[in-house]
Amino acid sequence: MAKTRRDAAPNQEWVLMYRGGLARGRIADLVGAAPKTVDYHLRIALAGDPGLQAAHDAAAAQKTTHAATVQGLERMRQLVALVQETGRYPSRTAESTAERTLATWLQRRREDARAGTLAPAYCDGLSVLNNWITPPRAEADDARWQERLKALTAYRDAGNDWPRHKAVITGEEHELGVWLHIQRSKLRKGELDPAKALAPDEALPGWREGRRRGRKSHELEKTLGA
């Protein structure tokens, strides 16, 4: 059965921002939506979550806005120029250190905006970029990729061998194994972004080859070599 407008789920990002203490009008300004639209979504959320209003009030009472800095304003100027010139947002996997720095700065400003602590100067300056607070799909995919890389690095640092992706394998090993298998497949086909091929090289030497036939487990190798 198709959902009606009354049945529709509220925008979860707006709900999270409201829970964090942001007023309806402030949310509308940040996301570039009509105030009536934001209000409609929040009324649905409030009807379904009796504790939402109390959480909003408590967060709003404790809100402390971060101050803008000279360096931050220059970062903002560079970011706006990049987006307006290229039509895309900076990537945290870019080859350029300057672009990676801008991507990190933008991520922090998004977190400030959602928490209601974004400096007014940043809010005004970034408002020239439509929907800047919501990462484009490509950027969201990039963030998930980075999280997978971190998880795999932690998995290996814990003494585990390269994870397998076979159907009989379950849990964390299977999930990481499938992700790693996809990266290797893309690498062989020439479809893996160069920056994403280099990142694992630094964090996980040997990731391209993986397990060797007849090789003992990574943990056993470390024990025998001790």
Side-chain angles (χ1 to χ4, degrees), residues 52 90 105 154 166 202 204:
L52 178 57
W105 183 88
K166 302 297 183 182
E202 298 177 1
L204 296 163

Side-chain angles (χ1 to χ4, degrees), residues 39-54:
D39 182 67
Y40 171 77
H41 280 256
L42 292 178
R43 279 191 284 111
I44 294 175
L46 287 164
D49 182 357
L52 178 57
Q53 187 61 54

Side-chain angles (χ1 to χ4, degrees), residues 76-214:
M76 181 176 69
R77 186 193 67 76
Q78 294 171 356
L79 172 71
V80 171
L82 172 68
V83 176
Q84 292 179 335
E85 291 174 6
T86 66
R88 65 177 181 81
Y89 285 90
S91 169
R92 287 189 291 176
T93 60
E95 294 186 14
S96 166
T97 300
E99 182 172 342
R100 293 197 302 271
T101 299
L102 287 180
T104 299
W105 183 88
L106 176 58
Q107 177 60 32
R108 289 172 179 165
R109 300 296 77 76
R110 283 172 171 155
E111 292 171 357
D112 289 346
R114 294 188 182 101
T117 58
L118 183 68
Y122 295 150
C123 181
D124 294 340
L126 292 170
S127 65
V128 301
L129 304 177
N130 293 330
N131 300 320
W132 71 269
I133 195 172
T134 303
R137 180 173 179 177
E139 187 173 343
D141 290 344
D142 179 62
R144 283 192 292 271
W145 191 92
Q146 292 291 340
E147 289 302 317
R148 284 295 187 185
L149 177 60
K150 290 181 181 178
L152 179 57
T153 301
Y155 182 83
R156 287 284 289 161
D157 287 345
N160 299 300
D161 204 337
W162 297 106
R164 297 163 292 177
H165 66 282
K166 302 297 183 182
V168 294
I169 305 300
T170 60
E172 181 184 29
E173 181 179 0
H174 177 70
E175 294 177 1
L176 293 177
V178 169
W179 181 83
L180 182 58
H181 177 71
I182 292 173
Q183 307 314 306
R184 288 170 176 159
S185 178
K186 287 184 176 181
L187 180 66
R188 289 193 297 270
K189 296 176 182 178
E191 299 174 353
L192 188 63
D193 185 290
K196 289 184 177 179
L198 291 175
D201 284 344
E202 298 177 1
L204 296 163
W207 77 274
R208 299 173 183 238
E209 297 78 22
R211 293 181 180 228
R212 297 175 182 174
R213 190 180 298 277

Side-chain angles (χ1 to χ4, degrees), residues 27-77:
I27 295 173
D29 289 340
L30 287 170
V31 303
K36 288 184 178 179
T37 302
V38 173
D39 182 67
Y40 171 77
H41 280 256
L42 292 178
R43 279 191 284 111
I44 294 175
L46 287 164
D49 182 357
L52 178 57
Q53 187 61 54
H56 164 80
D57 294 341
Q62 300 176 4
K63 200 62 62 188
T64 301
T65 301
H66 296 163
T69 64
V70 173
Q71 184 184 53
L73 293 172
E74 176 60 20
R75 291 269 192 271
M76 181 176 69
R77 186 193 67 76

